Amino acid sequence: GENVEQHPSTLSVQEGDSAVIKCTYSDSASNYFPWYKQELGKRPQLIIDIRSNVGEKKDQRIAVTLNKTAKHFSLHITETQPEDSAVYFCAASNPNTGTASKLTFGTGTRLQVTL
Amino acid sequence: EAGVVQSPRYKIIEKKQPVAFWCNPISGHNTLYWYLQNLGQGPELLIRYENEEAVDDSQLPKDRFSAERLKGVDSTLKIQPAELGDSAVYLCASQTWGEDTQYFGPGTRLTVL
């Protein structure tokens, strides 16, 4: 089955700096890679996702890059703000195979943005 | 639109007691997932439903866990009997066919004493 590794486990940046979180996956058939943000005690919320037919996707201060050959993808947050502080999870799945569309999550990165 | 609803939000029980969690997915979402999230970890799939059919329950510990989605809408996850190691957050998520995004509920935090 799929295995997703995520680094770093914790990340502290100063407000206004950039943050980068990296994930690797093992199943070359995976083709959908979402990123979820989870604030303390709250539900995971999708912030951006990418499919394997593109290499990069951007939404305001958030971007995701995908390297299919190396089987890794990264989340980039620019101009970080205190409200970006949360735990971020990457995930991978293969939605085109019917019953195999479950998400496999990484172990999470706790991002702290300091003033 | 209303999001995924779960109840209760918190539950504290003694070991060996039964417990049940309820999930109401987003209206019209055919696919429903139950995930287990241990502290400091990512969610792990327990069971996935397509309408009322459980299509992936390979990760569900069937000796003590059971789930149902009788009418293909709401779902209940049950543990009987609960063990200390079951303390975790139980998340429900739903998804509509043809889209990739899974929408999560707020979860039920279970504490087994």
Side-chain angles (χ1 to χ4, degrees), chain A residues 32 36 38 40-46 49 51 89 95 98-108 110, chain B residues 3-4 9 33 35 37 40-43 45 48 55-56 58-59 91 95 100-106 109:
Chain A
Y32 174 64
Y36 282 84
Q38 187 174 29
L40 188 62
K42 297 193 175 180
R43 71 188 74 199
Q45 291 197 304
L46 180 74
D49 56 9
R51 276 192 158 269
F89 291 98
T99 59
S101 64
K102 69 175 184 179
L103 287 174
T104 301
F105 285 85
T107 50
R110 182 174 298 279
Chain B
V4 177
R9 291 295 315 278
Y33 304 81
Y35 288 91
Q37 187 175 27
Q41 299 293 316
L45 181 70
R48 169 175 167 250
V55 297
D56 184 357
S58 57
Q59 305 298 319
L91 291 165
Q95 181 182 29
D100 297 325
T101 304
Q102 293 185 25
Y103 296 88
F104 283 83
R109 180 177 296 278

Side-chain angles (χ1 to χ4, degrees), chain B:
Chain B
E1 66 180 12
V4 177
V5 178
Q6 290 187 248
S7 68
R9 291 295 315 278
Y10 305 91
K11 188 74 176 180
I12 301 174
I13 61 172
E14 294 189 344
K15 62 181 180 181
K16 301 185 181 179
Q17 294 301 305
V19 64
F21 315 123
W22 175 79
C23 173
N24 180 242
I26 293 173
S27 178
H29 281 197
N30 314 86
T31 307
L32 184 146
Y33 304 81
W34 282 103
Y35 288 91
L36 165 71
Q37 187 175 27
N38 286 306
L39 187 65
Q41 299 293 316
E44 299 173 30
L45 181 70
L46 289 173
I47 189 168
R48 169 175 167 250
Y49 281 92
E50 295 287 353
N51 295 315
E52 67 276 8
E53 182 182 0
V55 297
D56 184 357
D57 62 356
S58 57
Q59 305 298 319
L60 190 71
K62 298 180 183 62
D63 56 337
R64 298 184 300 107
F65 286 66
S66 63
E68 60 183 16
R69 194 186 184 199
L70 294 177
K71 297 184 179 180
V73 180
D74 296 0
S75 178
T76 303
L77 178 69
K78 298 178 182 178
I79 308 175
Q80 183 172 10
E83 298 179 352
L84 294 176
D86 296 332
S87 295
V89 175
Y90 291 82
L91 291 165
C92 179
S94 71
Q95 181 182 29
T96 190
W97 283 345
E99 293 188 8
D100 297 325
T101 304
Q102 293 185 25
Y103 296 88
F104 283 83
T108 297
R109 180 177 296 278
L110 173 67
T111 301
V112 182
L113 303 176

Side-chain angles (χ1 to χ4, degrees), chain A:
Chain A
E2 175 67 277
N3 182 52
V4 176
E5 295 189 356
Q6 183 171 348
H7 300 280
S9 57
T10 60
L11 179 60
S12 182
V13 299
Q14 285 196 324
E15 183 179 8
D17 288 350
S18 296
V20 180
I21 302 170
K22 299 181 180 181
C23 289
T24 60
Y25 61 99
S26 60
D27 188 352
S28 57
S30 289
N31 59 6
Y32 174 64
F33 307 93
W35 285 87
Y36 282 84
K37 175 183 180 182
Q38 187 174 29
E39 297 179 46
L40 188 62
K42 297 193 175 180
R43 71 188 74 199
Q45 291 197 304
L46 180 74
I47 56 171
I48 196 168
D49 56 9
I50 192 169
R51 276 192 158 269
S52 59
N53 56 348
V54 297
E56 184 173 359
K57 183 176 179 181
K58 189 173 182 180
D59 182 4
Q60 299 183 336
R61 297 186 296 108
I62 296 173
V64 56
T65 59
L66 171 65
N67 183 325
K68 286 174 55 180
T69 303
K71 291 190 284 187
H72 67 70
F73 56 112
S74 300
L75 177 71
H76 304 253
I77 306 175
T78 58
E79 301 173 18
T80 53
Q81 301 168 2
E83 52 264 39
D84 294 329
S85 297
V87 178
Y88 291 81
F89 291 98
C90 62
S93 78
N94 183 354
N96 297 326
T97 58
T99 59
S101 64
K102 69 175 184 179
L103 287 174
T104 301
F105 285 85
T107 50
T109 297
R110 182 174 298 279
L111 173 65
Q112 183 167 5
V113 180
T114 58
L115 296 174

